Amino acid sequence: MTNEIIIIALALLPAVLLLAFIYKKDTHPEPPHIVFKGFLLGMAIALPISLVEMAVDALLAPFIMIPLIGAAIDAFFVAAIPEEGGKLLALQWLVKKYPKEKKEIHMML
């Protein structure tokens, strides 16, 4: 049990450190509870996104067998598009839920 806790803590550490660094550098930070909800939402979408990635991987399996083209297909269509798309949807949902707090985020969408 102790090993699992250490592994989870080490897995979360880079994200937490990056979050703290960016939040400290932000001249107009959003309220901490919204940032924390965004952080939790990002973790929560990991499982659904991985299921989408597995489905896309199975669908594109014949094309992934081709060495160079397969690597590009795998990188873009299996990994990048579902992950970044999921993050975008989560961010859009968060901005719609807290419209008064959106400031700079609205510029990105």
Side-chain angles (χ1 to χ4, degrees), residues 34-108:
I34 295 174
V35 174
F36 186 68
K37 283 182 182 179
F39 187 74
L40 290 179
L41 187 59
M43 289 191 312
I45 65 168
L47 180 61
I49 294 302
S50 63
L51 296 175
V52 169
E53 287 175 341
M54 287 190 295
V56 172
D57 187 41
L59 201 76
L60 298 176
F63 302 104
I64 295 174
M65 295 300 182
I66 306 165
L68 187 57
I69 296 170
I73 289 172
D74 192 40
F76 288 104
F77 295 104
V78 177
I81 291 175
E83 288 175 17
E84 301 309 320
K87 290 176 195 176
L88 179 63
L89 291 174
L91 186 61
Q92 285 179 330
W93 178 83
L94 198 62
V95 169
K96 287 179 184 173
K97 184 168 170 117
Y98 300 101
K100 294 179 184 174
E101 316 296 350
K102 60 185 171 186
K103 297 177 195 159
E104 305 96 357
I105 295 175
H106 183 65
M107 303 277 287
M108 294 188 303

